[in-house]
Amino acid sequence: MRDNITGKSILLIGDPFYGYCAFIKEQLLLLGAKSIRFIEAPFYTGSFRDDINLSTVVSWLKDPKVRTHWTQKLLNELGDEVFDTLFVVQKMPFKKFFVDDLKSRNPRLRSILFLWDTFRTQQARYKDYLPKFDKVYTFDKDDAATYHLTYFPDFYIEEEAVPISQCQYDVAFVGTMDADDTSYRGKILAAISELCQQEGLNSFFYLRYYNYNKTDGSLKQRLKRFKFRHYNQEVERLQKYGFMHESALPLSEYNHIMANTKAVIDISHRHRQGLTINAITALANGRKLITTNQRIKEESFYDPEMICIIDEKAPVIDPAFLRSPYRLVDMSFLRMDHWLKHIVNEQ
């Protein structure tokens, strides 16, 4: 395998989600990269390749060529800079001519794309972008088969974890319940919460919701309230459990909770079977994993002693699973440094 990191100049363009691309930049430099130019992908409200709604139309009318303008500005800023690799993570904010132009300036450039979210539901309108890359990886096996991509799971960032014997919580979950892909999470957590009370297990559940009951009297807000009325009713029903919150949990608090938990609950999106970074990190830190993702059985690191698969329609956790001995699951091949060597170096 050729070393495409040591002494190389890399143009990194990525989603700013949780600062993961900043960690990628830092790790590439530690691995010996000569230089990293990091471009944070902007969010376009006026792009018809993403969500199409009234806001999209309004934004597009204001500037129908916003993506073209951003792409040309970036090319001008890069000027005569020389790059060995273009590494794009998740977001493709540029027009397709960006890759062609960059390769014309850098004839030996390798272009790599990694997708950490489901392509068919999140970025299917970008299918014509895929041939622009020399290698495209996805964390989703179904996407890999459908779009002829290369499957490879997400990474984890190594961090010091609290010993199991000193953990404050037996089980924990932190996530979001939206009105579309994850509206069922509340029901699952409610059932698990009742089980924890029955078994005397110490739990921490934090489910962020969106308050569509708020209204400023505008037609837009009244329509939202009507559209999401069933979601609002479910949110109201779940309030008695004490885990519903209107604001997101700060990242520092999230990290503290996960580090002090024996078993992490992972409730996947129904249309996504790729493993989340949270699930991978939990196993790497020696935590047990309780997941709705049935496809985890297909992974080489699947261990039924450390991984409990539950049915989202009837979630049941055997208390014996939580009380049985813990053992390490070897996830080192997904540690960020090893992960980057595989993604960037593989030919």
Side-chain angles (χ1 to χ4, degrees), residues 239-251:
Q239 292 292 348
K240 64 181 181 180
Y241 291 97
F243 54 67
M244 302 296 289
H245 301 273
E246 197 172 339
S247 60
L249 188 71
L251 182 59

Side-chain angles (χ1 to χ4, degrees), residues 82-306:
V82 176
F83 297 103
D84 299 290
T85 300
L86 168 65
F87 185 21
V88 179
V89 181
Q90 185 58 27
K91 294 289 187 181
M92 293 172 278
F94 42 77
K95 297 285 285 188
K96 285 186 292 182
F97 71 80
F98 173 79
V99 182
D100 296 329
D101 195 303
L102 201 63
K103 286 188 174 183
S104 69
R105 303 182 190 189
N106 303 272
R108 296 184 178 181
L109 184 83
R110 291 184 71 248
S111 53
I112 304 167
L113 171 65
F114 185 86
L115 301 166
W116 66 33
D117 210 339
T118 306
F119 187 75
R120 63 189 178 279
T121 60
Q122 300 293 321
Q123 299 192 79
R125 297 188 187 96
Y126 288 84
K127 187 166 62 173
D128 55 327
Y129 272 61
L130 299 180
K132 296 295 181 182
F133 293 91
D134 298 313
K135 195 82 175 185
V136 181
Y137 295 90
T138 174
F139 87 132
D140 188 298
K141 285 187 176 180
D142 289 344
D143 278 352
T146 301
Y147 299 101
H148 308 291
L149 312 178
T150 301
Y151 169 73
F152 201 66
D154 282 337
F155 54 81
Y156 72 91
I157 298 171
E158 190 172 38
E159 54 190 24
E160 188 173 345
V162 175
I164 292 296
S165 60
Q166 298 176 23
C167 284
Q168 183 178 356
Y169 303 104
D170 295 300
V171 293
F173 174 88
V174 177
T176 300
M177 175 178 136
D178 60 36
D180 299 315
D181 295 331
T182 56
S183 59
Y184 51 89
R185 281 179 169 171
K187 292 181 180 179
I188 296 175
L189 282 185
I192 297 177
S193 178
E194 292 176 358
L195 174 66
C196 288
Q197 289 184 357
Q198 294 170 9
E199 297 295 332
L201 298 172
N202 194 14
S203 63
F204 181 94
F205 298 149
Y206 194 104
L207 191 60
R208 181 193 180 188
Y209 69 93
Y210 298 96
N211 190 350
Y212 294 113
N213 270 323
K214 287 183 176 180
T215 177
D216 56 12
S218 67
L219 176 60
K220 180 180 178 181
Q221 286 298 104
R222 290 200 299 271
L223 288 174
K224 270 190 174 182
R225 186 171 184 174
F226 177 77
K227 178 182 178 181
F228 298 114
R229 62 192 184 281
H230 297 302
Y231 173 83
N232 292 338
Q233 291 170 1
E234 179 65 4
V235 168
E236 185 64 29
R237 185 188 73 82
L238 293 168
Q239 292 292 348
K240 64 181 181 180
Y241 291 97
F243 54 67
M244 302 296 289
H245 301 273
E246 197 172 339
S247 60
L249 188 71
L251 182 59
S252 59
E253 291 186 38
Y254 168 82
N255 290 334
H256 176 76
I257 295 300
M258 293 297 108
N260 282 277
T261 298
K262 296 178 181 179
V264 173
I265 297 174
D266 171 54
I267 305 176
S268 302
H269 287 237
R270 282 177 174 158
H271 303 295
R272 183 175 69 189
Q273 54 78 31
L275 294 175
T276 64
I277 293 175
N278 292 341
I280 292 170
T281 302
L283 291 171
N285 286 337
R287 275 45 182 160
K288 291 192 175 184
L289 181 67
I290 300 167
T291 181
T292 59
N293 191 338
Q294 301 285 333
R295 300 287 290 277
I296 199 170
K297 289 182 179 179
E298 301 171 12
E299 301 295 340
S300 60
F301 53 79
Y302 174 67
D303 181 351
E305 296 297 319
M306 292 295 291

